[in-house]
């Protein structure tokens, strides 16, 4: 019931066939399948591997460098690939679909091997730590003792924080981009609106809509629209759309087509929503956003940022963007400051940009240069050596 | 089909029975009913009247000072009433439900006298200028040549701007609060999400849901949730809710009740949504938000702020709030600056507040004092006279 996965080089690793994977909630679960792609060649001593976590709605296809015809763009083509700043001619890049997702890895739309039906509402609640524990199993399976780097933006940044604090020696370096160790009340509220739009859709059918005539597409579309606004910035939207009228709406229609697309921003959001519905699963959206909202490195104050970050013993790069109001520069600065005050080897870059949270996914010379330079100064690929 | 109006002192004025009210779109429409309340006594020379425009979801009940038992709070009780800063012992306050609304004035849920059925989808598109022209007719009907002041916040502020530029002599002063002469792309986008949530609700039935078994309540609820977030500020939400867990959700439920209310902010939004559904009409929400998004004093650049504001010849007070990101302090400042550069008698106050756009509706000594003082120095009620 998963959406068709268009990536021909995708691989699958399945484990915990005996239902012996213990989730953070205490529930035992299995089997678990991880859909992943690798790019480049793992060197002999397995020291050149980089793990990249995708964000909320991403997948394993981080680069199209290895596609025959480049027909399926990679979501981070600007940064990752042959000859790119994260150069797959040098590094062995691993990117896996997040546990709970809908692009090949086990998630609510996967077939439950015990029933031969999609999990739907029977899929258990999962956490960011669960997602990370699953990818740790993948790294073990690939026989990699220590990664060159773990990189992630947004939810992928949270996963990187989880990896860095739960498995501090898993990599020689960590890059956390446009992220935070917990979600703000405001952003949580917007995701809650999105979840409510899905839950309110009559075709949601308590999550067991797979194979039914109707799917909760409208609710999912609304959820995407509201989230998408939080990925842009006020200034960016003003620059790109302002109050521009959509060209194909002629004046005469303004009166009659009164709730149809009219302003360019309205048309754009509907377009984004339509594209998203075609590629994403409503249940995965519920599970992944809830896991993101729930993530809190300090566990609601039971622990402190200081106690958690004191576990870190490798190089860290933190990147934020000035106009990002989803995970703000203040969120990144708080982490960088804490790591620095603990005497950790942390670098922090706050990049001027009007593209909001989306900035980290867009071509950005400063980000690309910073990451390339950071990687050069970590471990095995020091070019001066 | 209107929701029950609980205000016993509400009055109705009906005009344009011959369908001769020309909307800004060119369409002739009628009849039109305005539901309004008045508070205090109109003096002999009819010089002490103040017109207050409500915001998007408000109504005529601006104060409960005249209720027998205060059972129905007024939406601006902190500012308006007997002995309040807008003192109804001195002023004759008029507040009418906006044209297109659902609290007594003509709107999509009203009965079309020609068919004896609710208008629904046959209600014409209306603009902010239309809303203002309707209230101008009410002022004429009440025999008032010149008001002491016109006051409005948010959409009511836009109506005040429309009144001030289309009828510059209708009042001796104008107070524009937490408003703008046009909506930003970002805020428009959030309202577009809300409208889409209503339009996507299967029970919307193309707007003709009155008297049907199901109403588009879920869509309307989603629309309210997303808008409500824009009425608060990030900091205000962090202070009030943060990542607080709702008290009645016990730990055991966290796993099972995974998409139910969990964080306090989630529970709060659902509560706001439920309250709103009980009092508001989905079609009115579509019409009024679209009119707000469409309002642009410069008509998309066909006119300039300068040319429009050059018509102003009375005292103006503009108030904004530092944490308001719906209509920002920059929006207010742009207007104040333009009026000042044109040599107009304008005062501008930017009030420090963490309550976001909602600030203007909350008790606020600075706002109340500024308005009282401003009114004192305009016309007939100079206390030193």
């Amino acid at each position: 019931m998963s959406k068709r996965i268009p990536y021909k080089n995708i691989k699958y690793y399945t484990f915990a066939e005996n239902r012996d994977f213990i989730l953070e909630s205490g529930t035992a679960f299995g089997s678990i399948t991880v859909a992943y792609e690798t790019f480049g060649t793992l060197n002999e001593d397995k020291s050149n591997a980089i793990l990249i976590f995708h964000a909320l709605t991403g997948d394993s296809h981080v680069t199209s460098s290895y596609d025959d015809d480049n027909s399926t763009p990679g979501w981070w083509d600007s940064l990752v690939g042959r000859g790119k700043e994260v150069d797959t001619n040098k590094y062995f890049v691993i990117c896996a679909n997040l546990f709970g997702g809908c692009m090949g890895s086990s998630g609510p739309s996967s077939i439950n091997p015990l029933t031969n039906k999609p999990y739907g509402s029977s899929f258990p609640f999962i956490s960011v730590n669960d997602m990370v524990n699953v990818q740790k199993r993948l790294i073990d399976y690939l026989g990699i003792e220590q990664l060159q780097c773990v990189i992630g933006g947004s939810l992928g940044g949270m996963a990187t924080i989880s990896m860095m604090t739960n498995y501090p020696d898993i990599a020689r370096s960590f890059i956390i981009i446009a992220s935070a160790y917990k979600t703000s009340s405001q952003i949580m509220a917007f995701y809650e609106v999105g979840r409510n739009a899905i839950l309110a859709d009559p075709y949601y059918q308590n999550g067991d809509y797979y194979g039914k005539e109707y799917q909760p597409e409208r609710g999912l579309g609304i959820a995407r629209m509201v989230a998408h606004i939080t990925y842009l910035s006020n200034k960016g939207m003003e620059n790109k759309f302002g109050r521009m009228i959509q060209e194909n709406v002629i004046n005469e229609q303004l009166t009659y087509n009164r709730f149809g697309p009219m302003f360019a921003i309205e048309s754009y959001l509907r377009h984004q929503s339509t594209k998203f519905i075609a590629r994403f699963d409503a249940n995965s959206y519920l599970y992944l956003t809830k896991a993101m909202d729930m993530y809190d490195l300090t566990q609601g104050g039971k622990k402190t940022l200081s106690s958690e970050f004191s576990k870190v013993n490798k190089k860290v790069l933190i990147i934020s963007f000035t106009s990002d109001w989803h995970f703000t520069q203040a969120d990144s600065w708080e982490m960088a400051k804490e790591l620095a005050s603990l005497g950790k080897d942390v670098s922090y870059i706050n990049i001027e940009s009007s593209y909001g949270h989306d900035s980290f996914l867009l071509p950005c010379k400063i980000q690309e240069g910073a990451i390339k330079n950071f990687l050069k100064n970590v471990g095995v690929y020091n070019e001066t050596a």
Side-chain angles (χ1 to χ4, degrees), chain A residues 60-106:
Chain A
S60 61
H61 209 57
V62 64
T63 172
S64 59
S65 263
Y66 296 77
D67 294 358
D68 293 338
D69 54 0
N70 274 13
S71 61
T72 313
W75 58 265
W76 224 352
D77 270 337
S78 55
L79 179 74
V80 182
R82 296 186 203 268
K84 299 291 173 63
E85 280 74 6
V86 176
D87 189 350
T88 51
N89 292 326
K90 290 164 64 176
Y91 302 115
F92 176 70
V93 167
I94 306 157
C95 190
N97 185 219
L98 288 176
F99 179 43
C102 54
M103 288 300 276
S105 290
S106 293

Side-chain angles (χ1 to χ4, degrees), chain A residues 38 46 54 57 100 138 151 171 174 177 314-315 323 363 377:
Chain A
T38 62
K46 301 190 173 182
H54 67 73
T57 72
L138 174 66
I151 309 177
F174 298 87
I177 308 173
K314 298 295 184 295
K315 283 175 77 79
S323 59
N377 292 299

Side-chain angles (χ1 to χ4, degrees), chain A residues 275-347:
Chain A
K275 278 204 313 185
F276 187 64
I277 291 165
R279 72 176 178 88
F280 216 79
D281 173 60
N283 272 326
S284 276
Y285 195 82
L286 293 175
Y287 280 85
L288 295 183
T289 58
K290 196 69 184 181
M292 177 158 69
D293 284 358
M294 289 287 291
Y295 185 68
D296 177 359
L297 185 61
T298 67
Q299 296 179 23
K302 278 185 225 148
K303 302 183 174 186
T304 65
L305 194 55
S306 174
S307 70
E308 292 308 292
F309 276 180
S310 65
K311 301 172 187 168
V312 177
N313 59 31
K314 298 295 184 295
K315 283 175 77 79
V316 183
L317 171 62
I318 295 176
I319 299 177
S320 61
F321 297 88
T322 51
S323 59
D324 186 351
W325 60 287
H326 185 289
F327 289 133
T328 68
Q329 53 180 287
D331 292 329
S332 283
W333 172 237
E334 187 185 358
M335 294 192 289
K337 206 172 48 174
E338 188 62 45
L339 285 166
S341 79
L342 291 165
K344 307 296 178 186
D345 186 351
V346 59
S347 306

Side-chain angles (χ1 to χ4, degrees), chain A residues 196-220 281-283 286:
Chain A
N196 266 271
I198 293 170
L199 298 173
D201 189 322
Y203 303 134
Y204 176 62
Q205 300 159 86
N206 200 32
D208 296 315
Y209 51 79
Y210 302 109
K212 302 277 173 70
E213 190 177 358
Y214 297 106
Q215 319 280 314
E217 297 186 338
R218 288 175 167 190
L220 181 61
D281 173 60
N283 272 326
L286 293 175

Side-chain angles (χ1 to χ4, degrees), chain A residues 13-306:
Chain A
Y13 165 54
T14 297
F15 64 96
E17 285 89 345
N18 298 324
R19 288 185 65 84
D20 57 357
F21 185 86
I22 308 300
L23 300 171
E24 197 178 1
S25 64
T27 305
F29 186 70
S31 64
I32 293 175
T33 295
V34 194
Y36 67 103
E37 291 180 78
T38 62
F39 310 92
T41 309
L42 187 61
N43 61 11
E44 214 161 302
D45 61 357
K46 301 190 173 182
S47 65
N48 69 332
I50 292 178
L51 176 69
I52 297 180
F53 285 116
H54 67 73
L56 181 61
T57 72
D59 57 31
S60 61
H61 209 57
V62 64
T63 172
S64 59
S65 263
Y66 296 77
D67 294 358
D68 293 338
D69 54 0
N70 274 13
S71 61
T72 313
W75 58 265
W76 224 352
D77 270 337
S78 55
L79 179 74
V80 182
R82 296 186 203 268
K84 299 291 173 63
E85 280 74 6
V86 176
D87 189 350
T88 51
N89 292 326
K90 290 164 64 176
Y91 302 115
F92 176 70
V93 167
I94 306 157
C95 190
N97 185 219
L98 288 176
F99 179 43
C102 54
M103 288 300 276
S105 290
S106 293
S109 60
S110 308
I111 300 297
N112 179 347
L114 297 180
T115 64
N116 271 321
K117 289 180 186 162
Y119 285 102
S121 62
S122 71
F123 197 76
F125 172 75
I126 56 165
S127 70
V128 170
N129 289 329
D130 291 331
M131 298 174 200
V132 165
N133 290 338
V134 164
Q135 300 219 11
K136 171 64 168 59
R137 293 286 290 262
L138 174 66
I139 300 305
D140 292 346
Y141 164 74
L142 294 173
I144 296 164
E145 263 183 47
Q146 194 174 48
L147 296 155
Q148 168 81 349
C149 190
V150 177
I151 309 177
S154 194
L155 174 59
M158 283 182 159
T160 306
I161 295 166
S162 164
M163 198 62 124
M164 177 175 83
T165 48
N166 290 322
Y167 304 101
D169 295 314
I170 189 82
R172 288 185 290 282
S173 64
F174 298 87
I175 304 179
I176 300 155
I177 308 173
S179 194
Y181 69 88
K182 63 181 179 187
T183 304
S184 72
S185 196
Q186 187 186 53
I187 292 300
M188 197 189 284
F190 282 121
Y191 283 115
E192 172 70 0
V193 171
R195 284 192 295 271
N196 266 271
I198 293 170
L199 298 173
D201 189 322
Y203 303 134
Y204 176 62
Q205 300 159 86
N206 200 32
D208 296 315
Y209 51 79
Y210 302 109
K212 302 277 173 70
E213 190 177 358
Y214 297 106
Q215 319 280 314
E217 297 186 338
R218 288 175 167 190
L220 181 61
I222 300 293
R224 178 60 167 181
M225 288 174 83
V226 64
H228 199 89
I229 303 171
T230 70
Y231 303 151
L232 309 176
S233 78
N234 183 16
K235 191 180 164 194
M237 293 179 81
E238 215 52 61
N239 291 346
K240 186 166 176 185
F241 305 106
R243 298 180 52 84
M244 198 167 48
I245 302 290
Q246 187 63 11
E247 276 177 20
N248 58 7
V249 180
I250 57 167
N251 267 335
E252 275 69 18
Q253 286 184 304
L254 290 183
T255 309
Y256 303 104
N257 183 26
R258 56 188 179 264
F259 306 123
M262 180 181 308
F263 289 106
I265 178 59
E266 298 178 348
S267 171
Y268 173 80
L269 286 177
R270 292 191 190 193
H271 175 66
Q272 292 298 327
S273 159
T274 305
K275 278 204 313 185
F276 187 64
I277 291 165
R279 72 176 178 88
F280 216 79
D281 173 60
N283 272 326
S284 276
Y285 195 82
L286 293 175
Y287 280 85
L288 295 183
T289 58
K290 196 69 184 181
M292 177 158 69
D293 284 358
M294 289 287 291
Y295 185 68
D296 177 359
L297 185 61
T298 67
Q299 296 179 23
K302 278 185 225 148
K303 302 183 174 186
T304 65
L305 194 55
S306 174

